[in-house]
């Protein structure tokens, strides 16, 4: 019975790997890297106006995809804040895939950011380009990429500061 379970699990991983290749498709370079996207930043604490290139080649990048309506995203802000303040050599950015300018405004996101202690770059994904490239089907969704923009880890749900630091260390 255990052998059958092991084989079924291995087959499942193979199918998941094929699915990841299909999802990322043209968004990955020949080296498996996620193609960078220039996203508009939201003016908020730690996030001046302008654009944020995500992921930033040459740096380990932690991306947290979030939504202002998400209660788990609110809980995730404290560990993200702790990690963002402690890793000077990595890009840490939060990205909302909400329809900014339609059902939520930049001011709404900035107020939410301020209310929950954000103090690192926050951007939005108006065309859902990064969301699709990272296969971020839910929120919160945390992705860590290495300095060559290859995905090292991806996880849905709440992540502790320790888990985030471990994922960043694994990407170095």
């Amino acid at each position: 019975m255990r052998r059958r379970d092991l084989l079924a699990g291995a087959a499942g991983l193979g199918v998941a790997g094929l699915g990841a290749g299909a999802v990322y498709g043209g968004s990955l370079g020949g080296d498996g890297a996620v193609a960078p996207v220039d996203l508009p930043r939201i003016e908020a604490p730690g996030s001046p106006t302008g654009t944020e290139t995500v992921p930033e080649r040459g740096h380990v990048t932690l991306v947290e995809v979030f939504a202002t309506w998400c209660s788990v995203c609110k809980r995730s802000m404290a560990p993200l804040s702790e990690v963002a303040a402690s890793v000077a050599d990595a890009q840490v950015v939060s990205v909302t895939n909400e329809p900014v300018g339609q059902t939520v405004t930049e001011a709404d996101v900035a107020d939410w950011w301020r209310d929950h202690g954000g103090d690192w770059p926050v951007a939005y994904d108006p065309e859902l380009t990064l969301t699709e490239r990272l296969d971020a089907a839910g929120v919160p969704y945390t992705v860590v990429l290495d300095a060559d923009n290859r995905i090292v880890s991806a996880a849905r749900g709440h992540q502790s500061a320790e888990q985030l630091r471990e994922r960043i260390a694994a990407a170095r």
Side-chain angles (χ1 to χ4, degrees):
M1 184 72 161
R2 288 182 183 254
R3 181 176 173 190
R4 184 178 304 141
D5 292 342
L6 180 62
L7 291 173
L13 287 174
V15 170
L18 290 173
V23 169
Y24 294 125
S27 67
L28 293 178
D31 61 356
V34 173
V37 180
D38 290 329
L39 300 176
R41 273 193 230 113
I42 294 173
E43 186 175 359
S47 183
T49 58
T51 59
E52 186 80 14
T53 302
V54 183
E56 187 178 333
R57 189 171 286 278
H59 292 90
V60 169
T61 299
L62 182 150
V63 180
E64 173 91 353
V65 180
F66 77 99
T68 57
W69 52 262
C70 169
S71 62
V72 178
C73 298
K74 292 175 189 176
R75 274 192 24 227
S76 296
M77 290 294 286
L80 282 166
S81 180
E82 184 180 324
V83 170
S86 68
V87 292
D89 63 334
Q91 177 188 33
V92 177
V93 60
S94 291
V95 176
T96 184
N97 57 12
E98 293 176 278
V100 173
Q102 296 172 28
T103 59
V104 64
T105 67
E106 285 189 44
D108 293 333
V109 177
D111 289 344
W112 185 91
W113 193 249
R114 197 173 297 103
D115 291 346
H116 296 93
D119 194 20
W120 60 94
V122 59
Y124 64 99
D125 191 4
E127 303 297 321
L128 301 179
T129 304
L130 183 66
T131 301
E132 290 174 3
R133 289 181 184 176
L134 299 178
D135 193 26
V139 292
Y141 186 70
T142 308
V143 178
V144 176
L145 302 101
D146 67 15
D148 294 320
N149 293 0
R150 292 183 306 248
I151 295 174
V152 173
S153 71
R156 286 178 173 69
H158 179 76
Q159 305 296 305
S160 70
E162 181 179 334
Q163 289 170 312
L164 295 172
R165 277 194 279 280
E166 286 173 1
R167 290 172 178 17
I168 289 171
R172 288 189 171 126

